[in-house]
Amino acid sequence: MLRTALRNVLAHKARLMMTALAVLLGVAFVSGTLVFADTTATAFRNASGKSLKGVAVSVRAEGDTATPAGEEEGQRTTSLDAALARKIRALPGVASVRPTVNGEATLAAKNGRPVNAGNNSQNLATNYLRDKDGKDSHFPLKEGRGPAAEGELALDAKTAEKAGYRLGDTVRFATDGPALTKKLVGIVTTDDPQVTAGGTLTLFDTETAQKLFRHPGQFDEIAVAAQDGTDERALTDQVRTLLPGKGVRATSGADLVAEQSAQIAENTQSLTKTLLVFAGIALFVGVFLIANTFTMLIAQRSREIALMRAVGASRRQVVRSVLIEAALLGLVASAAGFALGLGIATVLRPLLNTTGAGLPDGPLVITPAAPLSSLAVGVVVTVLAAWLPSRKAAKIAPVAVLSSVDQAPHARALVVRNVLGTLLTAAGLLVMFYVSTLTTSTEPHLMTAMLGGVLTLLGVIVLAPLLSRPLISLAGRATTRWFGVSGKLAKENALRNPRRTAATASALMIGLALITGLTVGGHSAQRAMDGEATQGLAADYKVTNSTARGLDADAAGKVARVPGVAAAAPVTSAGLDTRGRYAVITGTDPKAFGEAARLDFQAGTLDDIGPGRIAVSDEFAEQAGLHVGGTIDADLGSGTDSGTDIGTDTGTDSGTNPGTGTGKNTGTDTGKARKKLSVVGIYTRTRAADDALGTLSDVLPYSTSSQELENVLVKAETGQAPGLERKIRAALGDSPLLKVRSQEQLVKENNGPFTTVLNMMYGLLGMAVIIAILGVVNTLAMSVFERTREIGMLRAIGLDRSGARQMVRLESVVISLFGAALGIGTGIFLAWAGGSLMTTSMPLYETVLPWGSLGVFLVLALVIGVLAAIWPARRAARLNMLHAMQSA
């Protein structure tokens, strides 16, 4: 039987090629994902290992205290100072200490544009610490020298190239306020993963770094190097005895490596799981192709199997022969798939880094688990897909099959299948209708939606043979009317074996259902996000600061004086607590705000707002029982707003925001006050105005941005909007931290990450569609071989070669359109039912059908049908009539 299996594999190389390709593509995704995960984790570990090389003990400040009264904004205090560094250096076994100051500096490129303005956490800044030779071994010099004075800085080579700077240039940058300038005296190299993945690195001398980010003599971290033979843990215990107390932690180098390794594993786990899900989808679609191929091969070899049974082969031996054939096919395809997976793993890192993933460089890492898992998955999937066909082969009667090559499915089997499909579909529909009543995307709700989606898809797949007859008959009317005999023959061929047609169409249906669901959901979410990004805004520009710090209180006045500006509305916000309800009140200049924003008042007007007089949103009015003419006692500056302290911070910041004194305050709030406010208006809530709207003078003292503006809304005079950005930036000091965005830019920035993820998912699901196309090609090719005698007879009675080609092409198109109809319909339903989970996070979300994209999918199905039929149609047209009629 082993020899028989080998002979069958070699005898049907062309027929099995596309089946092997389906396995290959699915395995390539699995192996590529596993290798990519190992490579990324190793690259992170290597990068962190380099940064921790020689570090026996790390002493870090766990929390920063806020800016003390009278000190400059942007400076923070810690308990790590030069005195502590000297004490640690004096301990026995200490070879050296490296005290560092860390912060963030956003650079302006030579053309004036900010570098990485939207991702400030990757704009790293630290001190250049000279060794005995006058250089810093952590940052090898490429050109020039290290910074040694207040007016100097150094950049890493990639940052200098990106920004267009050369030695001797004056570099503009900002840390947490106005733009500063310093001379570029050195260019260094670094292997910091944040920098190599697209971040920037700016180096200052220690005193300047402390002035910018800390206070003189204070540091963020003290890295301790040990002498040879010194026990790390014993040294760590000695260092801990010198620490001042709370807010400072000493960690051994080994523990630090373990912590970072655990964090790396956690960070890469989510992406790995996501990629493996798409690999599973590709393999799931491939199962239909594999099962269909083996079913047809067995039908074509039915006489051969019958003869084997007649000469003594048992049913078990027949099953074993088919499964061995499948295992051999899976093994070869999996080996090729693993090789292709290495290529996928290689391109994934640069591809994801274009989306800002920040993955470090590193060599390809192949652990034994990756090839073994890939081979196991490919072989197991192929054998499982061939199991049912092998059982069918074992049941072939030695005598009965000699008179028939292609038997219709047993009626009872179809009844059982239809009943099972109806039950699965009904269960899926019920679950999805329940999901449509949910409004929050919690993990249990998402799992319920996934269950409903899987049940619905499985139900439609099982019911596909039943659904194929009416849908294909309907399509057949059009083909018969337009193409005559060829169209009618195509319809009859598609209906001849509903199981085979359904299996072919189901592979395409799954791919299109997932892509349609993703498209409808993504399009609807994008429309909602577009609306939310500019909801209630009439302004042409929105001015903000890219750090946690806000804008100066007089920023709106400066912008208002810019030629071409019609109105500049200052905007800030504060917490408002009244009648047991917490809300956010927006403070502004009502007159300017009326020109820069669109508010729909249900009662009162914007002009009624003044000192002590506020308007409230309809939602908040209903929740708190407020009405026009009423008076409330409100606590301003109380509560929590996104983890940011409201008022002046005098306690300990437990959520570090580099360069500012804001964060979640655990100390005492001095910016709270109880005020009596009159309600003079009620408006429909928008993103431009939160729960309540008051004057700037009432809100600013208690604002979430420490008595600073959160943004300025700018309305341009008619025809003056183009080019106004430059003038606004100049009026506000042209700091690299400034973000002056038009409505289009707001929408683009709001949708950027979502669009990137959506495009990546399209690419991954495209693999499933490619496998489905292979399934259509495979089915048609084998169908042509199966009908060799029939095609020969048709040719003999007058069907010309073009008619034969047309018949096969139309059959392919009909099957593809059947799969497209099921896929698009199922995808729309799943997107509609699951869309309700988005309504809490996206209040404007509603299901919107992208008719253009759905039309493209139908056209795509037509194209797939035509392309898939090229080879089978050519083969059918070239058949020799006499030889075909004599074939068994």
Side-chain angles (χ1 to χ4, degrees):
M1 297 309 293
L2 178 60
R3 287 197 300 272
T4 301
L6 288 169
R7 181 182 60 79
N8 287 330
V9 170
L10 296 175
H12 304 100
K13 293 188 289 292
R15 304 179 209 171
L16 292 175
M17 187 181 298
M18 282 172 286
T19 304
L21 191 55
V23 180
L24 183 151
L25 292 174
V27 170
F29 251 116
V30 173
S31 62
T33 300
L34 294 175
V35 173
F36 169 75
D38 292 334
T39 299
T40 303
T42 302
F44 270 118
R45 281 194 293 269
N46 290 341
S48 62
K50 289 179 182 178
S51 64
L52 295 175
K53 186 178 180 181
V55 177
V57 184
S58 173
V59 182
R60 295 184 177 181
E62 291 185 310
D64 302 327
T65 59
T67 303
E71 298 289 352
E72 294 182 23
E73 286 291 336
Q75 291 181 327
R76 298 156 292 149
T77 62
T78 67
S79 301
L80 302 185
D81 54 23
L84 178 60
R86 287 193 296 270
K87 291 179 182 177
I88 294 174
R89 179 66 184 87
L91 288 173
V94 172
S96 65
V97 295
R98 180 183 176 84
T100 57
V101 182
N102 301 318
E104 295 170 356
T106 301
L107 301 173
K110 206 164 186 179
N111 60 9
R113 295 286 182 182
V115 180
N116 288 352
N119 194 0
N120 207 49
S121 62
Q122 285 193 333
N123 296 329
L124 309 180
T126 188
N127 58 317
Y128 186 87
L129 195 62
R130 295 172 180 273
D131 298 328
K132 292 179 181 179
D133 60 356
K135 298 179 181 179
D136 189 337
S137 58
H138 278 66
F139 303 108
L141 281 168
K142 185 177 180 181
E143 296 180 58
R145 59 178 176 82
E150 185 174 354
E152 299 175 347
L153 59 74
L155 301 174
D156 76 282
K158 288 189 176 181
T159 300
E161 181 182 359
K162 186 190 305 182
Y165 286 120
R166 295 182 179 179
L167 284 181
D169 287 343
T170 298
V171 179
R172 291 180 62 251
F173 69 96
T175 57
D176 192 52
L180 303 172
T181 58
K182 295 186 187 297
K183 183 180 179 181
L184 179 61
V185 297
I187 295 178
V188 304
T189 58
T190 180
D191 51 15
D192 188 302
Q194 286 184 283
V195 180
T196 57
T200 65
L201 174 66
T202 309
L203 300 173
F204 306 97
D205 65 280
T206 300
E207 290 74 16
T208 302
Q210 289 172 334
K211 183 178 180 181
L212 290 171
F213 308 116
R214 290 292 181 184
H215 288 279
Q218 294 186 347
F219 305 96
D220 289 279
E221 180 183 8
I222 300 175
V224 184
Q227 296 175 356
D228 293 339
T230 303
D231 183 82
E232 277 190 7
R233 297 196 180 278
L235 182 58
T236 304
D237 292 337
Q238 292 182 57
V239 170
R240 284 174 181 155
T241 62
L242 301 177
L243 301 184
K246 292 183 178 180
V248 180
R249 182 169 71 110
T251 309
S252 69
D255 290 341
L256 206 57
V257 169
E259 288 177 10
Q260 291 196 1
S261 296
Q263 186 64 45
I264 290 166
E266 184 179 345
N267 291 341
T268 57
Q269 187 178 34
S270 177
L271 178 60
T272 302
K273 286 182 177 179
T274 302
L275 293 173
L276 284 174
V277 166
F278 286 99
I281 292 173
L283 285 171
F284 182 64
V285 174
V287 164
F288 289 91
L289 172 55
I290 298 164
N292 216 21
T293 300
F294 275 96
T295 298
M296 296 178 71
L297 283 174
I298 286 166
Q300 292 170 15
R301 298 206 312 260
S302 55
R303 291 193 177 191
E304 173 190 326
I305 295 172
L307 288 172
M308 290 172 59
R309 292 291 313 282
V311 297
S314 66
R315 288 189 174 185
R316 182 175 295 180
Q317 286 177 312
V318 172
V319 170
R320 191 182 304 152
S321 173
V322 175
L323 292 183
I324 290 173
E325 185 179 343
L328 292 172
L329 175 69
L331 188 63
V332 174
S334 298
F338 178 76
L340 179 61
L342 297 181
I344 292 175
T346 303
V347 302
L348 267 177
R349 187 197 60 80
L351 180 65
L352 292 174
N353 274 346
T354 60
T355 68
L359 303 177
D361 294 326
L364 211 60
V365 177
I366 305 174
T367 61
L372 292 176
S373 299
S374 301
L375 292 174
V377 166
V379 172
V380 169
V381 165
T382 310
V383 170
L384 286 177
W387 182 71
L388 285 177
S390 71
R391 292 286 302 272
K392 182 179 179 181
K395 294 178 181 178
I396 294 176
V399 177
V401 76
L402 295 177
S403 60
S404 175
V405 174
D406 187 19
Q407 291 181 317
H410 197 280
R412 182 181 175 186
L414 284 176
V415 170
V416 172
R417 177 170 179 153
N418 292 339
V419 171
L420 178 62
T422 302
L423 292 176
L424 284 172
T425 305
L429 292 176
L430 287 174
V431 173
M432 292 311 296
F433 277 121
Y434 167 71
V435 169
S436 69
T437 65
L438 305 175
T439 57
T440 56
S441 55
T442 60
E443 186 173 346
H445 290 169
L446 289 174
M447 294 302 295
T448 303
M450 289 179 63
L451 174 64
V454 170
L455 287 174
T456 304
L457 278 173
L458 288 176
V460 174
I461 289 169
V462 176
L463 275 180
L466 179 65
L467 299 173
S468 66
R469 185 163 293 278
L471 291 177
I472 290 179
S473 296
L474 182 63
R477 291 183 182 179
T479 59
T480 302
R481 181 174 181 181
W482 294 340
F483 300 100
V485 175
S486 296
K488 185 173 183 179
L489 289 172
K491 180 194 75 171
E492 295 300 328
N493 289 335
L495 290 174
R496 177 179 301 181
N497 192 327
R499 277 185 173 177
R500 184 175 65 211
T501 298
T504 305
S506 292
L508 184 60
M509 183 269 288
I510 295 169
L512 284 178
L514 294 173
I515 288 181
T516 299
L518 182 65
T519 301
V520 173
H523 179 74
S524 302
Q526 216 156 25
R527 286 280 294 269
M529 292 170 70
D530 289 351
E532 289 175 3
T534 58
Q535 186 186 26
L537 283 182
D540 295 291
Y541 291 97
K542 183 177 183 178
V543 184
T544 57
N545 196 317
S546 60
T547 67
R549 181 183 178 183
L551 301 169
D552 292 338
D554 61 346
K558 293 178 181 178
V559 174
R561 292 190 289 273
V562 172
V565 172
V571 177
T572 192
S573 65
L576 184 148
D577 196 351
T578 183
R579 301 184 181 182
R581 299 282 180 177
Y582 176 75
V584 176
I585 181 169
T586 300
T588 187
D589 174 1
K591 183 178 179 181
F593 194 76
E595 296 188 50
R598 292 185 294 267
L599 288 184
D600 180 18
F601 273 84
Q602 301 172 10
T605 66
L606 202 60
D607 294 334
D608 296 328
I609 298 174
R613 304 189 304 275
I614 66 170
V616 296
S617 71
D618 50 357
E619 295 178 9
F620 183 55
E622 183 179 354
Q623 293 170 2
L626 304 178
H627 57 86
V628 173
T631 302
I632 60 173
D633 289 322
D635 287 328
L636 287 178
S638 60
T640 336
D641 184 30
S642 303
T644 307
D645 176 51
I646 300 165
T648 303
D649 195 349
T650 62
T652 303
D653 186 357
S654 62
T656 305
N657 288 308
T660 69
T662 61
K664 185 179 178 182
N665 184 273
T666 58
T668 306
D669 267 321
T670 59
K672 298 179 183 178
R674 177 171 288 271
K675 297 193 70 172
K676 188 176 290 292
L677 301 171
S678 301
V679 179
V680 296
I682 296 177
Y683 58 87
T684 303
R685 191 182 192 280
T686 70
R687 193 169 182 174
D690 294 310
D691 305 303
L693 189 65
T695 63
L696 191 66
S697 58
D698 278 340
V699 179
L700 188 59
Y702 319 102
S703 68
T704 58
S705 54
S706 301
Q707 301 187 34
E708 294 174 329
L709 302 180
E710 292 179 1
N711 61 76
V712 175
L713 302 179
V714 183
K715 181 66 176 177
E717 295 176 353
T718 304
Q720 297 297 312
L724 197 57
E725 175 191 355
R726 285 285 188 183
K727 297 178 183 179
I728 294 172
R729 295 187 66 89
L732 296 178
D734 200 15
S735 169
L737 298 175
L738 279 176
K739 298 173 74 174
V740 184
R741 294 163 293 171
S742 64
Q743 289 204 18
E744 289 182 3
Q745 290 170 327
L746 285 171
V747 169
K748 185 177 180 180
E749 183 176 306
N750 195 48
N751 294 351
F754 178 78
T755 303
T756 300
V757 172
L758 205 61
N759 290 336
M760 186 176 75
M761 293 175 72
Y762 278 134
L764 294 172
L765 287 177
M767 186 67 71
V769 175
I770 291 173
I771 294 175
I773 295 172
L774 295 175
V776 178
V777 175
N778 217 19
T779 298
L780 289 174
M782 300 183 112
S783 180
V784 168
F785 178 84
E786 184 180 283
R787 300 200 304 268
T788 299
R789 178 182 291 183
E790 174 190 321
I791 293 172
M793 293 180 65
L794 289 171
R795 291 290 314 284
I797 61 176
L799 185 67
D800 59 11
R801 290 188 174 186
S802 63
R805 281 195 297 267
Q806 190 176 71
M807 176 185 69
V808 176
R809 278 199 299 265
L810 290 174
E811 180 183 354
S812 176
V813 168
V814 166
I815 293 174
S816 297
L817 286 177
F818 170 55
L822 288 183
I824 292 173
T826 305
I828 291 173
F829 170 74
L830 295 179
W832 167 79
S836 62
L837 301 178
M838 305 289 290
T839 53
T840 299
S841 57
M842 294 183 185
L844 299 182
Y845 183 91
E846 59 178 13
T847 301
V848 180
L849 296 183
W851 294 108
S853 298
L854 298 181
V856 169
F857 294 159
L858 279 174
V859 172
L860 177 65
L862 282 171
V863 172
I864 288 172
V866 173
L867 293 179
I870 291 176
W871 178 45
R874 181 187 173 106
R875 189 176 186 279
R878 295 178 66 181
L879 285 175
N880 182 286
M881 285 184 289
L882 295 178
H883 290 167
M885 292 176 66
Q886 292 173 359
S887 65

